[in-house]
Amino acid sequence: MFANPFKLKKQGVLGMNRRNIHYIGAQNNRKYYPLVDNKLKTKVLAQKADIAVPKLLATIEYQSQLRKLKDILRDLDKFVIKPAQGSGGKGILVIVQREDDQFIKPNGQRLDLKDIHHDISNILSGLYSLGGKPDIAMIEKLVEFDPIFERYSYEGVPDIRIIIYKGYPAMAMLRCSTKESDGKANLHQGAVGVGIDMSSGKALFAVQHDTPIIEHPDTGHNFTQLQIPHWEKMLSLAASCYDVTHLGYLGVDIVLDKNLGPLILELNARPGLAIQIANKMGALKRFDMIDIQSENLEIRERVVFSIEHFGVK
Amino acid sequence: MSSRLQVLLIASMFAFIGFFLVWYKVGVLGIPFLPHEKRSVYKVGAEITFEGQKKAALISMALPQPQEGIQILSEDVSSSGFGYAEAQTKNGKRAEWSKRKVEGPQILYYSLEVLMEPGEHNPKPPMEYSEQESESLSDLPNTLRNTAKNLLDDVRSRSADTHSFVAQLIQDFSAKEPSQAVKILLSQSKETKIEILYRLLRYRKISVRKIHGLYLENERRNIALTPMLEAYDGKKWQLYDLNKGKVTRDKNFFIWKQGGDSLIEVTGASKSNISFSLNERQVPVQYLLDKKEVLKKDAILDFSLFSLPISEQNAYKHILLVPFGALVVVLLRVLVGLRTSGTFMPILIALAFMETTLFAGLIMFIVIVGIGLIIRSYLSSLNLLLVSRISAVMIVVILIMSFMSILSFKLGIKEVLTVTFFPMIILAWTIERMSILWEEEGAKEVLIQGGGSLIVAVIAYFVMSNAFISHITFNFPELLLVVLAVIIMLGRYSGYRLSELIRFKSMVTA
């Protein structure tokens, strides 16, 4: 029933306590947290640094602005509403289609303006933010995701999570939504995590609920043939986030837009540990290797290092 | 200095101070570490009997002095019809009974409760030494006086110094086959052995005094005080048992009377006699602590929670348990990896359980949260602002609680009345959070986190309601420093959690 902790240690598996003390606590300075916890700030920061992000269509900051919600949404039929300070994908509303006053979610559920009004009102009152602080609702352009992933995702957008340690890409996985995860790409809600080879961008293994699987539970497609396009560009994009956030232990979520290529969806100062299971690889060995590298390398040099040293296949 | 080293240093310092204070209180002050630890309390009773002679009677008895190693807890006098007073004389306190007209056999009782203090004491008799009258044995007939002188000369030749002289003399008197001289002295002087020895020693100009006391042992009835002699050689006092010779004072030797005054003096009555009885009983030390008998003596205790009024003491009995609840939360979250809804919500629930009893508390909690969730799911469709919604949930919680109380009172289920001990605001937040969890992550996550919270609350309840834990937290609040040290150490624990051993299992087996 239990794994031998010494074997785990030998494998270099990072545990929650060690992550909190030695990685989040030691590498991430608290004063930079708002840059990633507040997605609006992240977006502004990324746009300033020429880092590709989904386009921001509107922001709603006060309840009074909700009266104009109809105007704001007039010309939009595909969009995402998210709380600027939400965590774990909470409070994100995805609208893929519009029929007059009916807004359609990826699962086909129809919402009218009143429902959206309610959801935004919840966001503003701080329901999804840490500590219940009043929040801002962001309305973003819906990413038109690359059909290459269509077979591997049930509704929702699959995203690529890359762990950036001290600016070096250390580990990556593709997160595919399932029926169970309600179109969301959160692993603990039942999304599938697919470990990605750092050198080639090819799929390694897939896990759902921390147990290995071979094919997508809903679409039935085998993950082994999966190859992520623009792999090196994606790594560079992710690594560049370190230079603007100064967070040593950073999770970067990237989506692949059909037209725009890789886009940074959000950043996470407390990335989870499931990525290790998807890669069947402990993160500590890679972190230790990065620890002895020079700290003042260019983004390109860091990406090359990761591609050279962290490849499996 | 690295933060790791600092943590280690601070934690070990706290732990050391905590354990040191506990050791001091247990080892030196005698506060029991176990809740039901008992101490022997001896009841020493003196019974005076005499025959009244139809006239005024005055009975006076020597009373024991405070002494090291044995504490006098209380005294009790029972003497129907007699006036009682205590008098202070130069040789100590005396009890005095008096009555105008006494007729027929009478009994007077006097009793003391004494406690042997733990720890090593070196009981010393007081060093005061009063100049004693010289003894000339002049009341003895010449022949007897000569016998005594010869005996003393004989003993002197067999001894080296004052103490060996006294020892030899006592040995002569206590021998199974005493010498002729001793036999003559004992039979012809009409005095007790101790009196003869006392006079002989004084005749030799040896400073000596009489001590009467009792060995605190199990049940004894109708015993007399054990007489002892104490001799001074100019440097130190030495105690002599009339049968055993040189002895050191035993820890359980309770001195009743010291010095030359007689034990009882009776005027106006005849056939007076005094006898003693001993009675041992086991008393929980807590009782002694409550009586503050043990406390008066030490500054550390005078500055403790015992010095507070009883109601505040009771409040602290609860408050001091919270750190142990926190310790349970830390252990279960850091080492086991249980997920709870709200970090310290389980402690507050556990505190409520302590008032409601566990089973009733669990049922009430589940009923309130269950009904709350149903109502909250309706409120969510009303599209209310957060603060109003939580306030509404809180009011609903209060309504549920009062309804439960009224209903159960009518039905005669008293346990439910304690529902008021549940913290309403915490319940409202729990309902709010679980309801969001339900909407976003499904019923499974609600069960995991709700169940986790209840498991933590139940374990915290068992820890906090444990008699041993509540005893040591209240009597040894410095143990909080040890708890603090453990929590600080756990704050730097970077190993795996138990739940991670399951979670990452596929990584080592595949």
Side-chain angles (χ1 to χ4, degrees):
Chain A
M1 184 177 173
F2 296 108
N4 181 340
F6 297 101
K7 276 188 185 165
L8 285 181
K9 177 121 193 163
K10 211 174 152 207
Q11 283 255 318
V13 175
L14 178 63
M16 197 61 96
N17 293 327
R18 180 170 288 274
R19 180 199 75 162
N20 292 345
I21 295 174
H22 294 290
Y23 293 94
I24 295 180
Q27 299 295 334
N28 293 353
N29 190 328
R30 233 171 210 287
K31 72 176 177 191
Y32 298 123
Y33 276 24
L35 299 183
V36 296
D37 287 345
N38 188 329
K39 296 188 184 74
L40 197 56
K41 285 190 181 173
T42 314
K43 198 165 287 266
V44 172
L45 201 71
Q47 281 172 345
K48 232 188 261 172
D50 274 337
I51 295 172
V53 288
K55 195 177 170 210
L56 183 67
L57 301 172
T59 56
I60 296 177
E61 205 173 340
Y62 307 107
Q63 299 279 354
S64 58
Q65 289 171 277
L66 282 175
R67 268 177 268 151
K68 289 179 272 175
L69 183 64
K70 202 172 176 182
D71 296 333
I72 295 168
L73 298 181
R74 174 166 299 148
D75 301 320
L76 308 178
D77 45 5
K78 293 175 182 178
F79 55 90
V80 179
I81 299 175
K82 54 171 77 162
Q85 300 179 65
S87 67
K90 285 178 194 162
I92 295 179
L93 178 67
V94 179
I95 301 298
V96 290
Q97 205 185 331
R98 181 171 181 174
E99 289 174 5
D100 301 325
D101 282 344
Q102 299 272 297
F103 300 88
I104 302 169
K105 289 199 346 182
N107 61 4
Q109 195 189 336
R110 284 161 182 268
L111 304 176
D112 46 29
L113 200 64
K114 202 180 79 205
D115 298 316
I116 293 177
H117 192 287
H118 176 186
D119 283 343
I120 295 176
S121 170
N122 269 345
I123 290 173
L124 297 188
S125 61
L127 186 57
Y128 307 108
S129 66
L130 289 169
K133 282 180 295 183
D135 205 354
I136 298 174
M138 298 161 58
I139 303 178
E140 277 181 1
K141 193 163 184 277
L142 179 69
V143 175
E144 299 198 28
F145 69 100
D146 199 309
I148 191 165
F149 292 140
E150 215 149 46
R151 296 176 294 168
Y152 300 109
S153 187
Y154 179 86
E155 302 169 353
V157 188
D159 69 358
I160 294 132
R161 155 67 59 92
I162 300 175
I163 301 284
I164 302 296
Y165 180 61
K166 291 185 174 175
Y168 291 82
M171 211 169 244
M173 74 169 161
L174 179 73
R175 300 188 297 189
C176 306
S177 45
T178 61
K179 194 173 185 176
E180 194 188 336
S181 75
D182 190 26
K184 292 188 178 111
N186 277 327
L187 291 204
H188 70 271
Q189 287 174 321
V192 174
V194 185
I196 305 292
D197 180 36
M198 291 301 286
S199 64
S200 61
K202 283 184 180 147
L204 293 171
F205 316 97
V207 288
Q208 187 186 27
H209 286 305
D210 297 341
T211 34
I213 55 168
I214 293 169
E215 42 194 43
H216 192 281
D218 305 315
T219 66
H221 271 284
N222 194 312
F223 286 110
T224 43
Q225 300 125 34
L226 186 97
Q227 156 81 55
I228 295 185
H230 314 290
W231 181 238
E232 203 174 328
K233 192 177 166 194
M234 232 176 236
L235 291 180
S236 303
L237 186 65
S240 66
C241 293
Y242 168 70
D243 300 72
V244 293
T245 60
H246 313 286
L247 293 169
Y249 180 67
L250 183 68
V252 179
D253 295 346
I254 298 173
V255 283
L256 201 52
D257 190 281
K258 185 161 66 177
N259 309 311
L260 304 170
L263 302 174
I264 300 285
L265 197 59
E266 62 181 83
L267 302 179
N268 194 326
R270 309 164 191 82
L273 306 172
I275 195 167
Q276 301 178 102
I277 304 173
N279 278 282
K280 286 196 185 161
M281 163 75 80
L284 287 177
K285 283 180 186 166
R286 292 184 182 177
F287 291 168
D288 290 346
M289 274 176 82
I290 294 167
D291 274 330
I292 52 174
Q293 300 306 312
S294 160
E295 287 191 18
N296 305 316
L297 294 185
E298 290 296 311
I299 296 170
R300 203 184 52 79
E301 294 170 298
R302 301 198 300 254
V303 169
V304 167
F305 174 85
S306 294
I307 288 176
E308 273 175 13
H309 291 87
F310 299 149
V312 182
K313 276 187 179 170
Chain B
M1 193 159 45
S2 76
S3 68
R4 194 190 174 82
L5 199 67
Q6 282 181 42
V7 164
L8 208 67
L9 210 69
I10 290 173
S12 44
M13 196 176 72
F14 281 152
F16 177 78
I17 295 174
F19 280 127
F20 176 79
L21 286 173
V22 171
W23 169 82
Y24 180 74
K25 279 169 124 177
V26 172
V28 181
L29 301 182
I31 293 177
F33 193 68
L34 296 172
H36 302 299
E37 199 169 297
K38 290 184 175 169
R39 215 39 74 70
S40 288
V41 167
Y42 294 90
K43 189 166 184 167
V44 186
E47 191 181 312
I48 303 171
T49 54
F50 58 91
E51 199 101 7
Q53 290 178 319
K54 295 186 184 175
K55 55 182 178 180
L58 181 72
I59 297 95
S60 125
M61 178 184 73
L63 288 180
Q65 305 274 9
Q67 48 201 288
E68 213 180 318
I70 296 176
Q71 204 176 0
I72 299 172
L73 297 180
S74 63
E75 55 178 344
D76 188 33
V77 186
S78 138
S79 45
S80 61
F82 282 82
Y84 174 77
E86 280 181 12
Q88 194 72 40
T89 69
K90 82 173 190 306
N91 280 321
K93 264 198 314 188
R94 294 188 75 86
E96 287 181 345
W97 287 269
S98 50
K99 194 175 179 182
R100 185 65 69 183
K101 197 174 177 196
V102 188
E103 203 179 337
Q106 303 284 337
I107 306 180
L108 298 173
Y109 296 102
Y110 177 89
S111 67
L112 282 175
E113 279 196 316
V114 298
L115 169 74
M116 253 201 279
E117 287 173 1
E120 278 309 306
H121 288 279
N122 233 349
K124 285 188 292 270
M127 288 298 284
E128 66 199 41
Y129 167 65
S130 53
E131 201 60 38
Q132 54 191 7
E133 308 149 35
S134 59
E135 174 67 57
S136 56
L137 302 176
S138 55
D139 61 324
L140 295 184
N142 270 344
T143 48
L144 202 56
R145 191 164 24 179
N146 285 336
T147 315
K149 280 179 185 167
N150 290 338
L151 173 68
L152 289 173
D153 288 340
D154 178 39
V155 170
R156 187 177 184 281
S157 67
R158 279 185 277 131
S159 63
D161 55 11
T162 309
H163 286 316
S164 58
F165 177 86
V166 180
Q168 280 295 328
L169 186 66
I170 288 174
Q171 202 181 347
D172 278 15
F173 272 79
S174 60
K176 259 188 199 149
E177 280 295 320
S179 63
Q180 200 62 32
V182 172
K183 272 185 190 164
I184 292 169
L185 278 169
L186 280 173
S187 59
Q188 294 194 7
S189 69
K190 293 168 198 157
E191 279 175 338
T192 56
K193 193 156 80 174
I194 184 163
E195 201 58 36
I196 300 169
L197 281 166
Y198 181 59
R199 291 183 67 178
L200 288 178
L201 287 169
R202 271 166 52 206
Y203 180 70
R204 295 296 304 205
K205 305 262 185 292
I206 291 172
S207 302
V208 67
R209 63 186 178 200
K210 292 178 282 186
I211 284 181
H212 288 82
L214 287 162
Y215 284 101
L216 298 177
E217 288 159 338
N218 303 340
E219 307 281 303
R220 300 291 291 276
R221 313 221 120 259
N222 226 346
I223 48 171
L225 293 180
T226 307
M228 297 228 186
L229 278 176
E230 215 173 5
Y232 186 66
D233 68 347
K235 287 190 210 94
K236 67 171 216 172
W237 287 93
Q238 173 65 48
L239 194 63
Y240 296 89
D241 188 302
L242 293 198
N243 297 313
K244 295 182 211 149
K246 211 184 261 191
V247 289
T248 52
R249 200 194 127 188
D250 280 324
K251 259 181 72 179
N252 67 341
F253 188 70
F254 177 64
I255 298 172
W256 190 283
K257 182 177 92 77
Q258 218 165 12
D261 287 4
S262 54
L263 181 58
I264 51 169
E265 279 165 16
V266 176
T267 45
S270 63
K271 295 182 189 168
S272 65
N273 183 35
I274 182 164
S275 71
F276 291 85
S277 61
L278 262 179
N279 207 327
E280 181 190 12
R281 77 194 160 99
Q282 297 288 315
V283 175
V285 183
Q286 198 57 49
Y287 165 80
L288 298 172
L289 288 176
D290 291 345
K291 285 181 77 179
K292 304 194 177 181
E293 295 294 348
V294 188
L295 305 180
K296 291 171 194 155
K297 309 177 45 176
D298 206 276
I300 232 180
L301 289 177
D302 197 38
F303 204 72
S304 75
L305 293 168
F306 291 113
S307 56
L308 294 176
I310 295 293
S311 58
E312 273 71 22
Q313 285 196 21
N314 286 335
Y316 272 102
K317 276 181 184 164
H318 264 90
I319 292 171
L320 289 172
L321 287 174
V322 174
F324 281 83
L327 181 64
V328 169
V329 171
V330 172
L331 280 173
L332 289 180
R333 286 180 68 116
V334 171
L335 294 188
V336 178
L338 271 185
R339 271 187 283 164
T340 61
S341 152
T343 316
F344 290 110
M345 178 273 250
I347 302 182
L348 295 169
I349 300 299
L351 281 174
F353 283 169
M354 290 179 69
E355 304 293 337
T356 61
T357 72
L358 182 61
F359 187 65
L362 269 175
I363 289 180
M364 285 188 280
F365 178 81
I366 291 169
V367 167
I368 294 176
V369 173
I371 298 177
L373 277 176
I374 295 169
I375 290 170
R376 164 64 177 76
S377 73
Y378 173 68
L379 284 178
S380 99
S381 69
L382 290 185
N383 192 7
L384 302 179
L385 293 176
L386 179 82
V387 183
S388 319
R389 189 172 56 225
I390 293 177
S391 307
V393 171
M394 193 182 72
I395 293 170
V396 167
V397 166
I398 292 172
L399 288 175
I400 300 170
M401 279 165 60
S402 36
F403 183 72
M404 280 173 79
S405 292
I406 296 166
L407 187 73
S408 62
F409 186 68
K410 300 274 181 206
L411 293 176
I413 312 167
K414 285 236 179 60
E415 286 79 7
V416 184
L417 290 177
T418 55
V419 73
T420 46
F421 287 103
F422 277 109
M424 300 156 299
I425 294 175
I426 298 294
L427 283 182
W429 265 109
T430 305
I431 291 167
E432 173 69 17
R433 215 172 301 163
M434 288 201 170
S435 149
I436 293 170
L437 210 60
W438 196 308
E439 283 175 12
E440 286 179 357
E441 315 208 350
K444 194 180 149 202
E445 194 63 24
V446 172
L447 286 182
I448 289 175
Q449 291 198 13
S453 304
L454 280 185
I455 289 172
V456 175
V458 169
I459 295 175
Y461 162 80
F462 278 119
V463 169
M464 297 198 296
S465 59
N466 182 296
F468 175 70
I469 298 274
S470 56
H471 166 83
I472 61 167
T473 46
F474 187 67
N475 290 291
F476 305 100
E478 51 279 355
L479 273 180
L480 291 194
L481 286 176
V482 179
V483 175
L484 183 61
V486 172
I487 288 179
I488 287 176
M489 290 296 285
L490 283 173
R492 289 293 296 193
Y493 170 75
S494 63
Y496 298 109
R497 298 174 179 177
L498 197 62
S499 62
E500 286 174 340
L501 298 185
I502 301 171
R503 184 181 179 193
F504 294 127
K505 191 168 165 44
S506 68
M507 296 191 64
V508 285
T509 46

